[in-house]
Amino acid sequence: MSIPILNAKASFALRGHNPDVLTCIANLSNDEVFTPPELANQMLDTLEVAWAESNAGASIWADSTVTFLDPFTKSGVFLREIVSRLTVGLAKEIPELTERVDHILTKQVYGIGITRLTSLLARRSVYCSKDATSEHSIAQTFDRDWGNIWFERTEHTWSGGNYGNLLDAGGIPALVGRRCKFCGAQEDRFDRDEALETHAYAFIHTDNIKARLAELFGATMQFDVVIGNPPYQMTGAAGGTSDASIYHLFVEQAHRLAPQFLVMVTPSRWLAGGRGMDEFRTMMLGDRQLRNLVDFPTSAEIFPGVELKGGVSYFLWDGNYQGKCKVKTIRGGVELDSIRDLGEFDVFVRDPRAVDILKKVALASEISIVTLLSRDTPFGLASNFADFEPNARDGFVPLYYIRRMKRAVGFIDAAKVTKNKALIEAWKVLVPEAYNGGDGLPHQIVGKPCTAPSPSVCTQSYLFFECGSETEAESLQSYYTTRFFRFLVSLRKITQHAIHSTYSWVPVQPWDRTWTDEQLFKKYNLTDEDRAYIESQIKPMNLEILSTDA
């Protein structure tokens, strides 16, 4: 796309050039990922089509009244590409280039930086200067150095906690264990020196976002389009060393602005999993205003060098739309398009071919295998539990555990087991709670099982299926290894963790035989095409080469 040259500064900011500096920036982390220009333009293309369909074919880039907000800008790529498109689209309405660019920059595009560094980077990308009023800026009429890309240090709002043994400077017991009421950040990690970023993102650290934006930009703002790629997680917000997702907080906050269009990148974990995502997933899958969903099961396809388990997706929400969602799944450069009712199930099944198979299995109306499956930490022994012996002793039972990705068996005094003591005597098929194995296809989906005799226990590293005898355990284990079993698990497993609910769509079988895929395909009337699809997704599992690896 050719853009008229204002001068050397405008040329750098507005025309296409190779290489693009924004393709060369290293990510801050896997949680604050810079958006490649290619992806930003894909999203803007999707927005362009949706706007035209909702506005009698009009071009969004030819409308000088449309306002855009990136409320978590990092490199400024969304704003830069929007400016580029508007500069072309408004050429007839505002023929003079200097006037046109100044109008776009001062009246149409706005951003909120997530850190001081990224705010400066974004201003440089959009204005050609970190100071929007400088001689190097392509904006002409700003009276504030930050232009329309705001950033100021924001503090967390601490709440909760308890009085521990620590004393403050005045010798008074100090509150400990406090967390930010907006994002869950731990005070002991993020109550920081002025030289360090707080990561208290301004967009979500407020109870009234409309009033907050009016305060930031000096006027009541109504944005037509909110677009961007928010931070994904907050370190330690789930407790201890565990991180918690926060991207959904940005989505929910953006909805409160009531834009006409909301276009955002998020991890795809919410589609079928993610800690604390149940309410958000229910809201999103039931939202008939979700117009487009573009899903990349392998994140590296759009974020080179970044591995986000479950992949990455972006969605377009249209405030004037009601209907089914246009879904595009892109894996290995192959696109699969479908029109979907996102709320058909409690989680989203990515491939419509899988939906057809799932419905055939559901016709049998059989009990779910989760009725035999333990919950998390079945015997109350954490994954790092270490109070066991290497050898058997009187009154001790075998303890199955995984440590540093290696399986092993120790022995624990049965009296130390305080949870589910009645299940110690059961035969069990142990299955690893976590399994990665990469994003390529076909995939193993879950870790290999092993049979644990009566009596036995395990740590949190395993879940287990309760069995009445060794024969039942061997039968269930054969079922677990089939492609059919693991395919049904794969429809609900979007991260490395396979929790209790991940197995919900797997039906119980009679435990009186060794199960094979051929028997199961025949039982559920699967076609040759169904079988071929399952085999393309799931690779065989050979227990004869079961190693000590997890």
Side-chain angles (χ1 to χ4, degrees), residues 150-386:
W150 178 92
F151 176 80
E152 288 182 9
R153 180 184 176 93
T154 302
E155 301 295 339
H156 293 282
T157 301
W158 309 117
S159 64
N162 55 77
Y163 289 98
N165 297 323
L166 297 178
L167 302 180
D168 63 19
I172 300 173
L175 273 172
V176 296
R178 294 197 298 175
R179 293 179 176 276
C180 177
K181 75 171 189 175
F182 294 109
C183 69
Q186 298 180 42
E187 183 178 18
D188 59 356
R189 291 189 180 211
F190 290 97
D191 188 11
R192 292 175 156 183
D193 182 89
E194 286 288 335
L196 299 174
E197 294 286 352
T198 64
H199 296 286
Y201 306 111
F203 189 65
I204 60 172
H205 282 69
T206 177
D207 290 314
N208 188 331
I209 185 58
K210 289 190 174 183
R212 181 64 171 142
L213 290 187
E215 177 185 340
L216 301 187
F217 294 112
T220 300
M221 306 296 299
Q222 178 57 52
F223 293 101
D224 299 293
V225 178
V226 177
I227 187 169
N229 180 11
Y232 298 156
Q233 296 185 163
M234 176 56 67
T235 302
T241 60
S242 298
D243 300 339
S245 296
I246 59 171
Y247 59 89
H248 62 296
L249 302 179
F250 293 92
V251 177
E252 292 165 353
Q253 191 77 300
H255 274 293
R256 296 184 184 104
L257 290 177
Q260 183 175 344
F261 288 95
L262 172 58
V263 194
M264 285 178 61
V265 185
T266 70
S268 293
R269 292 188 291 265
W270 68 267
L271 295 173
R275 178 184 293 171
M277 288 290 109
D278 290 351
E279 185 176 340
F280 178 73
R281 178 168 51 255
T282 298
M283 177 196 76
M284 291 289 284
L285 296 183
D287 193 340
R288 302 278 291 176
Q289 294 175 295
L290 207 60
R291 186 172 189 141
N292 297 84
L293 176 65
V294 181
D295 180 28
F296 300 83
T298 303
S299 62
E301 291 200 39
I302 55 169
F303 293 143
V306 176
E307 183 181 42
L308 296 170
K309 291 304 176 187
V312 177
S313 56
Y314 69 85
F315 66 85
L316 182 144
W317 178 92
D318 181 348
N320 296 324
Y321 178 75
Q322 283 286 337
K324 292 185 177 181
C325 184
K326 297 177 182 178
V327 179
K328 184 187 296 290
T329 302
I330 304 174
R331 186 194 287 269
V334 178
E335 297 185 4
L336 181 66
D337 294 291
S338 59
I339 306 295
R340 305 282 296 277
D341 177 0
L342 299 183
E344 186 174 12
F345 305 104
D346 65 318
V347 302
F348 179 68
V349 180
R350 282 172 146 160
D351 195 320
R353 294 170 293 182
V355 173
D356 294 337
I357 296 172
L358 178 60
K359 288 180 177 179
K360 291 178 182 179
V361 175
L363 285 174
S365 299
E366 294 169 314
I367 296 172
S368 171
I369 203 166
V370 296
T371 58
L372 306 177
L373 182 62
S374 69
R375 296 282 181 174
D376 179 57
T377 322
F379 292 101
L381 307 173
S383 295
N384 62 355
F385 179 79

Side-chain angles (χ1 to χ4, degrees), residues 70-81:
D70 179 351
F72 17 80
T73 188
K74 295 184 281 292
S75 68
V77 65
F78 288 104
L79 300 180
R80 187 192 72 174
E81 297 305 315

